[in-house]
Amino acid sequence: MKKRKKLAIISIAIVVVCVLLDQLLKIWVKSNMEIGETIPLIGQWFNLYFVENPGMAFGLSFGDNLGKLALSLLRLGVVGYLVYFIWNRIRKDEIDTLAVCVLSLIVAGAFGNIVDSAFYGLIYGYAPFMYGRVVDMIYVRLFVLPDWFPGFGGSYFFPAIFNFADSCVTVGIVLMLCFYKHFFKDEKKSTECVDNKTADAVAPAVSKEDKQ
């Protein structure tokens, strides 16, 4: 019981803290910057650059209004499923701290952008419910790609502008890929246990037939 409670608290804390940081940064940017304005933070390679996008993470979009609604509903579905998945695994003692932290990061990131889509249009008076624009502001210019690089020569590496919520999702997915075996070892063990139990159940019957 203590382990379940601890994991539940960790998950809730990660989601609440990350969403709060994401929203505070977005509100500050909208309140203190004009769209297109840039504030250098570390030299010229790490900047705040205020933009808004109607679609996916990293400034991507598709399908105009219909695509926007579909994306918002998809985000809600993903968040709902992950919340259920985490809660169910905690309840069954089938998840550890690392998995809870990683999945909670993804939930926090997706939910942070849901808040923008769902409420920013209403709060700032430019769009109905679920049609708000996502606030992006993190612009990292690491280095310029060589001119011979196909398609992107002469431009900065990873020129997309993103937000804290996007970072949470990205970090969560990268960690999940890095620890792939860790995340799916329980399912593998469960499958092996089922196979072993089936073999144990079949063995007596087979042995009995051999004797006959």
Side-chain angles (χ1 to χ4, degrees):
M1 180 63 71
K2 289 183 178 180
K3 179 183 176 182
R4 295 177 189 174
K5 185 177 180 180
K6 176 185 175 182
L7 291 177
I9 291 174
I10 290 173
S11 180
I12 294 171
I14 289 174
V15 173
V16 170
V17 170
C18 289
V19 171
L20 186 60
L21 289 174
D22 176 64
Q23 290 302 308
L24 287 175
L25 179 56
K26 289 173 177 175
I27 292 171
W28 184 91
V29 167
K30 283 189 70 69
S31 302
N32 295 276
M33 298 178 66
E34 299 289 336
I35 291 181
E37 182 181 353
T38 303
I39 299 177
L41 296 180
I42 303 177
Q44 294 297 317
W45 67 271
F46 188 78
N47 309 271
L48 288 182
Y49 184 5
F50 179 23
V51 297
E52 292 181 320
N53 81 80
M56 302 169 65
F58 303 111
L60 303 176
S61 62
F62 70 99
D64 296 326
N65 287 338
L66 182 60
K68 172 67 178 177
L69 180 60
L71 179 63
S72 297
L73 293 176
L74 177 62
R75 283 194 182 119
L76 282 171
V78 170
V79 168
Y81 172 76
L82 287 178
V83 168
Y84 168 77
F85 181 85
I86 295 170
W87 172 81
N88 193 47
R89 287 299 179 97
I90 290 176
R91 183 173 59 86
K92 293 181 179 180
D93 290 326
E94 295 178 351
I95 195 169
D96 60 15
T97 304
L98 174 61
V100 166
C101 291
V102 170
L103 294 175
S104 297
L105 271 177
I106 297 174
V107 169
F111 187 75
N113 284 332
I114 285 174
V115 173
D116 297 33
S117 300
F119 300 110
Y120 275 29
L122 292 175
I123 294 172
Y124 294 98
Y126 63 82
F129 179 66
M130 298 300 288
Y131 286 94
R133 296 188 293 268
V134 176
V135 176
D136 291 330
M137 78 295 293
I138 302 174
Y139 184 29
V140 180
R141 298 186 293 186
L142 295 178
F143 56 87
V144 177
L145 294 172
D147 293 334
W148 52 262
F149 196 89
F152 300 96
S155 63
Y156 282 99
F157 172 78
F158 194 72
I161 302 168
F162 55 99
N163 57 44
F164 186 76
D166 297 335
S167 301
C168 291
V169 174
T170 302
V171 170
I173 292 175
V174 169
L175 288 174
M176 185 179 291
L177 293 175
C178 290
F179 296 98
Y180 175 85
K181 293 182 179 180
H182 174 86
F183 272 86
F184 294 96
K185 68 179 180 181
D186 291 336
E187 293 184 9
K188 183 177 180 181
K189 287 181 179 179
S190 298
T191 303
E192 290 176 351
C193 288
V194 171
D195 292 340
N196 291 335
K197 288 180 181 178
T198 302
D200 292 340
V202 172
V206 173
S207 178
K208 185 177 181 181
E209 290 180 0
D210 291 340
K211 289 181 179 178
Q212 292 177 349

